[in-house]
Amino acid sequence: MDMVFIHDFELTTKIGVFAWEHHIEQKLILDLDLAWPNRPAAATDDINLALDYSAVVAQIQIFALSRQFELIETLAEKIAALLIEQFNIEYVKLKIRKPGAIKEATVGVQIERRKS
Ligand SMILES: Nc1nc2c(c(=O)[nH]1)N=C([C@H](O)[C@@H](O)CO)CN2
């Protein structure tokens, strides 16, 4: 399966369970693996047939600015749904790390979602 990937994407947003987190921005690190048939774009050298990773990053940034969640699980689910719908992507694997969450470890979530 062909993929377009976006790894180590630093996203700054308001996120967290605790009250003190509701008023500050925190850094998240996203890794996205997006199923996309790359041959048509390669055959024509046409960005219009490619999954434009810049456009994907921009959409996620706009979404993260406009919404606020407590759990990174919720953010992951919403981003996966957004990408499947807006870019017509068949399969999304998304990992979100929250580097500042705890001092003992790097923590986060990973989901895989398919277009239904
Ligand atoms: N599975 C999760 N556990 C926790 C989350 C989360 O989003 N998913 N969030 C927190 C707090 O917001 C924490 O990051 C504050 O440091 C705790 N556990």
Side-chain angles (χ1 to χ4, degrees):
M1 192 195 309
D2 292 359
M3 294 277 174
V4 171
F5 72 84
I6 302 164
H7 288 178
D8 302 317
F9 167 23
E10 293 191 13
L11 182 68
T12 303
T13 188
K14 286 183 183 160
I15 185 120
V17 173
F18 302 117
W20 61 265
E21 296 186 280
H22 298 167
H23 310 289
I24 60 159
E25 294 196 323
Q26 299 187 72
K27 188 173 81 174
L28 302 173
I29 312 287
L30 278 58
D31 292 324
L32 297 119
D33 295 292
L34 309 168
W36 191 262
N38 289 326
R39 273 202 187 118
T44 55
D45 204 24
D46 183 356
I47 184 64
N48 295 305
L49 298 180
L51 178 61
D52 181 348
Y53 42 73
S54 309
V56 172
V57 166
Q59 277 300 311
I60 294 172
Q61 286 170 326
I62 289 166
F63 180 74
L65 272 179
S66 70
R67 301 291 300 271
Q68 185 169 342
F69 303 106
E70 297 211 343
L71 297 175
I72 54 175
E73 284 87 340
T74 314
L75 179 64
E77 208 65 60
K78 299 286 185 189
I79 289 174
L82 173 88
L83 297 180
I84 287 169
E85 190 188 319
Q86 292 204 357
F87 293 92
N88 199 27
I89 297 170
E90 285 288 337
Y91 163 85
V92 172
K93 183 162 98 176
L94 169 58
K95 180 191 279 191
I96 300 183
R97 283 172 278 164
K98 191 174 182 184
I102 63 171
K103 64 178 188 317
E104 295 87 351
T106 301
V107 293
V109 298
Q110 179 170 302
I111 63 172
E112 295 180 59
R113 296 293 178 265
R114 283 184 189 280
K115 194 164 74 176
S116 49

